[in-house]
Amino acid sequence: MDSNGLKNGHADQNAVHRNATELVKQPVPELVLVDDDSLTLEIVRWNMRKASCIAQLFSDPEKALSHLEQSVPQLLIVDYYMPRMTGVEFLERAGQVCSLESSTIFLCSAITQKQLPSELTAILNVQQLDKKFVCDRELLNTLLLKHVG
């Protein structure tokens, strides 16, 4: 068998299967954004089209929670002000359906807000983020480079 997994010029099926299985097991870097603003979601969708990670974008926090039950992202960005539940409420519920210990989490808002209480940021392991970082391609790429895979 040669170094390409070929035996007499034919692929070794076991080697091909092992390689495919290893590729499937490797986690794909992922960003999850939860925001009720459709324009923000569309801007991020556009900015992420050439990114090296998967962006899962949700306008419905309940659907985002269902997704988190299946896949925990490396980077989670949640809008602070949403009509059905606040970003803090979302994160509290997310902590009940999955472990976010390995995720970097940001609460973001276009509205200037006062600092979150330090005990809240410590409990939820959350940082604040201005929404311009999410909507600007260069700033978003910087954020991805720093916090995703």
Side-chain angles (χ1 to χ4, degrees):
M1 184 176 315
D2 67 15
S3 63
N4 295 322
L6 297 178
K7 184 190 271 183
N8 297 329
H10 299 299
D12 176 5
Q13 294 301 318
N14 289 333
V16 170
H17 179 72
R18 274 192 311 275
N19 290 340
T21 302
E22 288 173 14
L23 286 174
V24 170
K25 287 181 182 176
Q26 294 175 352
V28 177
E30 183 181 45
L31 157 71
V32 169
L33 172 64
V34 185
D35 196 320
D36 63 304
D37 180 20
S38 60
L39 181 59
T40 298
L41 295 174
E42 191 55 40
I43 290 169
V44 172
R45 182 174 288 110
W46 177 257
N47 287 338
M48 292 293 298
R49 68 190 187 285
K50 293 183 182 177
S52 60
C53 74
I54 294 173
Q56 300 289 342
L57 311 177
F58 297 93
S59 60
D60 181 347
E62 293 294 339
K63 288 182 181 176
L65 288 168
S66 294
H67 175 78
L68 291 178
E69 289 177 1
Q70 307 301 314
S71 178
V72 178
Q74 288 177 305
L75 180 59
L76 175 60
I77 302 174
V78 182
D79 185 18
Y80 193 85
Y81 298 103
M82 295 185 287
R84 288 190 272 166
M85 70 176 76
T86 68
V88 172
E89 292 167 338
F90 174 85
L91 291 173
E92 288 171 343
R93 291 200 39 209
Q96 295 170 0
V97 300
C98 68
S99 172
L100 294 171
E101 290 177 8
S102 63
S103 299
T104 301
I105 305 168
F106 287 97
L107 275 174
C108 73
S109 178
I111 300 170
T112 303
Q113 60 204 22
K114 59 184 178 180
Q115 280 294 104
L116 290 171
S118 59
E119 61 274 4
L120 181 63
T121 56
I123 292 168
L124 296 175
N125 192 26
V126 174
Q127 302 169 57
Q128 286 184 275
L129 181 68
D130 191 299
K131 197 170 276 194
K132 70 180 176 187
F133 278 91
V134 177
C135 294
D136 181 279
R137 182 186 310 195
E138 287 184 30
L139 295 174
L140 180 60
N141 284 336
T142 301
L143 197 63
L144 291 171
L145 286 172
K146 185 173 181 181
H147 298 288
V148 177

